[in-house]
Amino acid sequence: MVLRRLLVLLLVSPLPLWAANPVVQEFTLGNGLKILVQEDHRAPVVISQVWYKVGASNEHGGITGISHMLEHMMFKGTRKHSAGEFSRIIAANGGRENAFTGQDYTAYFQSLEKSRLPVSFELEADRMRNLNLLESEFAKEHQVVLEERRLRTDDQPRAKMEEHFEAVAYSNSPYQNPVVGWPDDVAGLTLDDLKQWYQLWYAPNNATLVVVGDVNPQEVHAPRSFMVP
């Protein structure tokens, strides 16, 4: 009986405006960074994502897989934070983080308690403009990516078949290239290749910041030094 009454109360109680009509608010900073914010006050947490408009479809023969390779290197330190420090700081603040690459994008995200959102902003701003690409870190991560390709594609008959199918289906399109890259191209990537790719695509006017959670959109948009070169 108590459960039934509770269900009735939930059904007849009006939802707050933000829950009944979820609205995404959009802002653009002076440096070109687009910001999308959606309020969700069900829990005191926030998800912050930075999406760069670059992925496998932007690559050409000889450097396929470079967007994915750079995604790995984005965790290898800046002039301010050493390799691994980014993940350590997020974990110390009770959060989690990761990244992923697709045909048309590369994205990085953090999940944190709402008061820790500035931590995410500071770290993403730092590695957007101050990534420290070192040969020693590249040499290690290069082998990690090559092994990832072997495990997920070369040793998986279905994945291998799908890769060849897409190469034929999109024979006249950059979508023929796998996100992880073709083996010879990945093996031939150099640190200079990554530096050029980073300088070409990683900038505020080629990125979108998405914030969803227990936040006030106007406060997220409030003037700040976020991602200003």
Side-chain angles (χ1 to χ4, degrees), residues 96-128:
R96 63 186 184 89
E97 41 82 42
N98 214 325
F100 48 91
T101 304
Q103 289 287 355
D104 302 297
Y105 56 79
T106 308
Y108 305 83
F109 73 86
Q110 296 85 41
S111 175
L112 291 159
E113 191 273 331
K114 65 178 183 178
S115 68
R116 301 295 194 270
L117 183 59
V119 174
S120 172
F121 284 178
E122 189 277 328
L123 291 171
E124 288 292 4
D126 184 35
R127 68 176 174 182
M128 177 185 281

Side-chain angles (χ1 to χ4, degrees), residues 26-212:
E26 180 176 331
F27 311 94
T28 302
L29 300 186
N31 59 14
L33 179 76
K34 181 185 291 186
I35 303 176
L36 303 176
V37 186
Q38 181 174 318
E39 293 180 78
D40 188 334
H41 302 290
R42 290 175 293 180
V45 297
V46 62
I47 305 295
S48 176
Q49 303 176 331
V50 177
W51 294 69
Y52 294 93
K53 291 179 283 187
V54 59
S57 66
N58 298 98
E59 301 163 0
H60 57 76
I63 61 165
T64 64
I66 193 170
S67 298
H68 175 247
M69 183 73 234
L70 183 56
E71 174 212 314
H72 278 244
M73 292 299 295
M74 286 286 281
F75 293 87
K76 296 302 176 179
T78 67
R79 283 175 288 205
K80 183 177 180 180
H81 298 99
S82 59
E85 187 72 2
F86 186 101
S87 297
R88 188 199 66 76
I89 292 172
I90 294 296
N93 282 274
R96 63 186 184 89
E97 41 82 42
N98 214 325
F100 48 91
T101 304
Q103 289 287 355
D104 302 297
Y105 56 79
T106 308
Y108 305 83
F109 73 86
Q110 296 85 41
S111 175
L112 291 159
E113 191 273 331
K114 65 178 183 178
S115 68
R116 301 295 194 270
L117 183 59
V119 174
S120 172
F121 284 178
E122 189 277 328
L123 291 171
E124 288 292 4
D126 184 35
R127 68 176 174 182
M128 177 185 281
R129 306 305 292 159
N130 302 309
L131 190 64
N132 200 13
L133 291 166
L134 301 176
E135 189 66 51
S136 58
E137 294 295 336
F138 173 68
K140 291 184 289 186
E141 207 61 30
H142 199 184
Q143 293 305 310
V144 170
V145 172
L146 287 169
E147 184 61 23
E148 179 181 341
R149 187 193 150 84
R150 284 191 287 267
L151 288 173
R152 295 186 178 182
T153 304
D154 297 336
D155 292 344
Q156 300 292 331
R158 180 172 180 174
K160 193 74 171 176
M161 181 273 292
E162 291 175 349
E163 183 177 84
H164 284 289
F165 175 82
E166 291 185 359
V168 174
Y170 297 105
S171 58
N172 293 316
S173 165
Y175 286 95
Q176 67 177 284
N177 297 322
V179 172
V180 72
W182 297 110
D184 289 345
D185 288 351
V186 178
L189 289 174
T190 68
L191 189 64
D192 284 341
D193 292 331
L194 266 69
K195 289 179 178 179
Q196 292 177 27
W197 203 248
Y198 174 71
Q199 291 296 328
L200 181 62
W201 297 106
Y202 279 61
N205 62 357
N206 193 51
T208 298
L209 169 67
V210 178
V211 178
V212 178

